[in-house]
Amino acid sequence: MAKITHKAKAPKPAARMPVKRAVKPKPPLKASRPKPWTPAEVHEAFSRFRKANPKPKGELEHLNPYTLLVAVVLSAQATDAGVNKATRALFAVADTPRKMLELGEERLRDYIKTIGLYRNKAKNVIALSEKLLAEFGGEVPRTRAEIESLPGAGRKTANVVLNMAYGEHTMAVDTHVFRVGNRTGLAPGKTPLEVELGLQKAIPSEFMLHAHHWLILHGRYTCLARGPRCDVCLINDLCRWPEKTV
């Protein structure tokens, strides 16, 4: 008998998997920028600050421009209250550059050891005191560039000293002012310098002498980083912050 052969069945082609087309992600929605404050609104806000506190004062205790400079240098990454606690005794014995040099770095450290970064700050205070005597006749200079040339002194330090000691219309931007400028929409900026320049542009000259104190105090006691007290805020109806509680 003839041998019967069976043809092998051709394998079925593998089912094609559906090709998924890459879904192009949608561009993120741009956060809507708050409406800028009008000049009338800025004037109203600072009129309210002035009415509530006509002559605000900085909370760093000092006796003269030199002790103010030292206090501000010591206040970096420290509270004003903590600095005051240390400098009351320090300034009683060293309120001039020469007296500070006579005190010496080691003894200075003993006075300020409760302040953060006290070792480095003691070095800066001694170095800036030496420079004041060598280059400025022992006096705190009156220009930003000269103050910024002193060890431990940056732009914020210069602005505080120029404003508080010499009555210049400067804007010192610390963490409180930076927060208030951005949160309220008064002068938004990614850096302290951007906020500083924005505030200087927005705030009328009649308020500039005390403006940075009003903003610091507002940020320290009302517009808190956590749990802002919108219910007692003087400018809550003007503020652009979308999360305010009133």
Side-chain angles (χ1 to χ4, degrees):
M1 291 181 65
K3 190 174 181 180
I4 300 174
T5 58
H6 297 280
K7 291 183 179 180
K9 292 182 179 180
K12 291 183 179 180
R16 286 189 177 183
M17 297 294 291
V19 178
K20 291 184 177 180
R21 293 184 178 180
V23 179
K24 192 175 183 181
K26 294 181 179 180
L29 294 175
K30 291 184 179 180
S32 57
R33 297 191 67 178
K35 182 181 178 182
W37 287 48
T38 66
E41 288 174 323
V42 176
H43 193 280
E44 175 63 21
F46 283 90
S47 295
R48 295 178 191 179
F49 286 140
R50 180 169 61 187
K51 184 177 180 180
N53 188 1
K55 294 183 179 181
K57 294 182 179 180
E59 295 185 331
L60 281 176
E61 297 174 5
H62 60 283
L63 306 173
N64 52 42
Y66 171 72
T67 53
L68 173 62
L69 170 64
V70 172
V72 179
V73 168
L74 295 178
S75 71
Q77 301 181 46
T79 65
D80 287 0
V83 172
N84 292 338
K85 187 176 180 180
T87 56
R88 287 178 193 130
L90 172 63
F91 293 157
V93 297
D95 60 353
T96 67
R98 190 167 299 283
K99 289 180 182 178
M100 192 67 74
L101 293 180
E102 290 171 355
L103 182 67
E105 185 177 331
E106 186 175 346
R107 290 174 62 196
L108 171 57
R109 288 201 301 264
D110 289 337
Y111 279 97
I112 65 171
K113 61 186 177 183
T114 57
I115 302 174
L117 307 174
Y118 75 96
R119 293 181 182 277
N120 191 53
K121 290 177 181 179
K123 289 181 180 179
N124 284 334
V125 169
I126 293 299
L128 71 82
S129 299
E130 290 175 339
K131 187 163 184 173
L132 288 175
L133 286 169
E135 300 181 21
F136 301 105
E139 299 294 326
V140 176
R142 290 175 173 261
T143 70
R144 180 184 285 110
E146 288 173 325
I147 295 175
E148 287 187 41
S149 74
L150 300 171
R155 187 178 181 91
K156 187 191 80 172
T157 299
N159 283 338
V160 172
V161 172
L162 290 172
N163 178 264
M164 293 180 63
Y166 301 132
E168 297 287 338
H169 287 187
T170 55
M171 174 58 62
V173 176
D174 66 353
T175 56
H176 301 297
V177 176
F178 186 78
R179 179 173 64 256
V180 172
N182 275 288
R183 180 182 279 170
T184 63
L186 179 59
K190 294 180 180 179
T191 66
L193 181 58
E194 284 184 23
V195 173
E196 175 189 333
L197 298 178
L199 289 170
Q200 285 186 317
K201 183 178 179 180
I203 301 171
S205 177
E206 65 178 289
F207 300 112
M208 277 301 297
L209 180 61
H210 298 307
H212 99 266
H213 282 129
W214 283 319
L215 294 174
I216 287 172
L217 295 173
H218 187 66
R220 184 172 289 165
Y221 297 111
T222 303
C223 195
L224 309 177
R226 296 181 180 180
R229 304 171 63 210
C230 300
D231 57 320
V232 297
C233 175
L234 289 175
I235 59 171
N236 55 31
D237 58 320
L238 302 171
C239 176
R240 304 292 199 259
W241 192 41
E243 299 177 42
K244 62 184 177 181
T245 56
V246 292

